[in-house]
Amino acid sequence: MHGPSPRRPPMRAGSLRDGMTSRRDRMNHVVLTGDRPTGPLHLGHYFGSLANRVRLQDTYEMYVLIADYQVITDRDLPGSIQRNITELLLDYLAVGIDPAKVIVFQHSAIPELNQLLLPFLSLVSVAELSRNPTVKDEIAHSSQQAVSGLMYTYPVHQAADILFCKGTLVPVGRDQLPHVEVTRLVARRFNERYGEVFPLPEAMMGEQPLLKGLDGGKMSKSRGNAIALSATEDETAALIRKARTDSERLITFDETNRPEVANLLTLAGLCLGRAPRDIADEIGYGGAAALKRLVTEAVNEFLRPIRKRRAEHTEGDVRRILAEGNERARERAVITLGEVRDAMGF
Ligand code: ATP
Ligand code: MG
């Protein structure tokens, strides 16, 4: 597909933001990103990654991974995995991911992708694996009896996810930046040891690289602090009603001293496409009640067309899309694994 070529401008370390299109537009990117089927997608996914996927799908070859094997990195059992996969795919369709343009596939259906983990693990040290800040954060929130080996090695598994299709652009939230760095490290070391096979991918963060949940921590599927894209109007209203605020009447946007209020203003701002500060000015002395009313209306208005599109698709659609995506992703993985074996002399 798109191996590194001498004509391609060299990629620098770090990540791209939304607006930086000039250099990117000159390149023929392969986009890879994905989600764990651990529960319904939420607004953090939308503003961190999904909006970029929808925007990029018209221009570039794109793969979206349902990371089912990674569900068991931070819990002992995979839970309602089939149900979660179906819901995840419905969420994709609801936000406008078009399966005619995007290859949607799952880890467990692509053995050749998973096999890349083996040579890749040989390229990183145990010390490098154990100082990954996102892994540390996830260990702190894990529901496992004991921290598993998979927890420490899953960033290398993500390197396999990105490199199996020679991905060059990875639309993700901020928590994923250390993992994209691991991927770059793996690609660089592989190329140094065995010859040029892989491009060095770059992360691309969305409008809101780290949306906070209703408890002030990272909005996460597994932490009970998220507004799901599939939540009903009433569920959304109930979640926002429960959000913590303070007793000051004058609403201001002050992320340091009033993080809970600032977070709600950020949410409304993202949904309305407005600056949080302007929204605060508009509410003025309305207090927490007026703030929550405005946020609820903004979120519900934003989610209305997403909910409508979600209802237009069936489980039959999901099965068909996944079967086709798995087949196409597998064809890609077979080619890359072949190149890796050749390069290594196996
Ligand atoms: P879990 O709690 O099960 O880990 P999650 O909500 O963290 O779920 P993931 O499937 O781990 O979701 O992440 C999928 C993608 O969404 C990643 O690119 C991640 O960076 C992005 N993402 C997740 N949460 C947020 C958030 N709060 N803000 C911005 N991006 C996010
Ligand atoms: Mg996560």
Side-chain angles (χ1 to χ4, degrees):
M1 209 159 292
H2 304 287
S5 86
R7 276 169 288 115
R8 175 184 283 182
M11 293 198 195
R12 278 181 295 115
S15 58
L16 295 166
R17 285 302 299 266
D18 231 2
M20 293 173 60
T21 50
S22 56
R23 184 164 49 101
R24 196 169 59 235
D25 284 349
R26 290 198 301 273
M27 298 171 61
N28 202 7
H29 274 297
V30 177
V31 183
L32 176 290
T33 188
D35 311 278
R36 302 197 307 154
T38 45
L41 294 184
H42 49 68
L43 289 168
H45 294 114
Y46 189 86
F47 294 107
S49 173
L50 294 170
N52 270 341
R53 301 182 201 179
V54 173
R55 203 167 53 79
L56 296 168
Q57 68 181 349
D58 296 324
T59 315
Y60 300 118
E61 179 180 357
M62 188 183 298
Y63 293 82
V64 171
L65 163 68
I66 297 180
D68 51 1
Y69 274 157
Q70 280 179 12
V71 169
I72 46 172
T73 50
D74 63 351
R75 64 206 74 198
D76 292 328
L77 289 166
S80 325
I81 192 87
Q82 293 309 332
R83 185 74 240 148
N84 287 346
I85 289 172
T86 302
E87 297 295 323
L88 189 56
L89 229 143
L90 289 173
D91 283 335
Y92 292 159
L93 296 170
V95 297
I97 288 181
D98 180 354
K101 300 174 184 152
V102 176
I103 298 172
V104 184
F105 68 102
Q106 61 196 118
H107 263 154
S108 60
I110 323 287
E112 293 79 6
L113 181 159
N114 295 298
Q115 201 174 322
L116 291 173
L117 184 59
L118 211 147
F120 287 0
L121 277 173
S122 76
L123 299 166
V124 288
S125 70
V126 171
E128 282 163 342
L129 293 176
S130 32
R131 54 173 178 255
N132 184 311
T134 298
V135 169
K136 284 185 187 161
D137 181 58
E138 279 166 5
I139 288 172
H141 289 90
S142 161
S143 66
Q144 270 176 332
Q145 301 281 348
V147 182
S148 71
L150 194 56
M151 174 61 99
Y152 282 98
T153 54
Y154 89 83
V156 184
H157 197 193
Q158 284 190 212
D161 298 340
I162 296 169
L163 297 176
F164 99 92
C165 62
K166 303 200 176 170
T168 55
L169 196 59
V170 192
V172 282
R174 184 176 295 156
D175 61 304
Q176 296 296 304
L177 294 186
H179 304 342
V180 178
E181 278 311 310
V182 171
T183 304
R184 293 171 64 86
L185 191 74
V186 165
R188 199 172 332 109
R189 288 188 184 156
F190 188 94
N191 292 345
E192 279 163 12
R193 280 188 206 178
Y194 302 111
E196 283 295 296
V197 171
F198 295 114
L200 302 192
E202 291 190 54
M204 179 200 238
M205 287 196 288
E207 192 180 353
Q208 187 68 26
L210 206 171
L211 185 66
K212 289 187 187 149
L214 298 168
D215 62 354
K218 178 182 106 62
M219 187 179 280
S220 293
K221 292 186 225 102
S222 320
R223 298 184 193 177
N225 64 356
I227 299 177
L229 301 176
S230 55
T232 64
E233 302 229 352
D234 289 346
E235 284 163 354
T236 305
L239 282 165
I240 295 169
R241 205 177 307 125
K242 275 196 319 211
R244 211 146 50 99
T245 48
D246 55 36
S247 54
E248 215 165 305
R249 299 280 320 161
L250 180 64
I251 297 300
T252 53
F253 183 70
D254 179 346
E255 285 177 290
T256 316
N257 299 308
R258 304 179 76 186
E260 294 95 354
V261 169
N263 192 29
L264 286 175
L265 288 165
T266 300
L267 254 183
L270 286 166
C271 290
L272 295 169
R274 291 181 57 192
R277 239 169 259 287
D278 292 349
I279 300 172
D281 290 348
E282 184 184 303
I283 299 170
Y285 283 93
L291 171 65
K292 288 187 175 179
R293 208 162 33 239
L294 186 145
V295 178
T296 304
E297 272 164 30
V299 173
N300 272 329
E301 184 69 30
F302 179 80
L303 290 180
R304 212 159 282 139
I306 294 178
R307 291 181 188 125
K308 184 164 168 285
R309 241 188 332 244
R310 198 172 202 281
E312 288 164 4
H313 296 280
T314 64
E315 288 194 26
D317 295 341
V318 166
R319 273 195 297 276
R320 188 176 39 77
I321 292 164
L322 210 48
E324 201 174 298
N326 284 341
E327 197 181 314
R328 292 180 64 192
R330 190 157 186 202
E331 282 165 15
R332 191 70 197 78
V334 167
I335 294 171
T336 303
L337 182 63
E339 287 178 50
V340 163
R341 284 192 182 129
D342 283 350
M344 297 177 77
F346 281 112

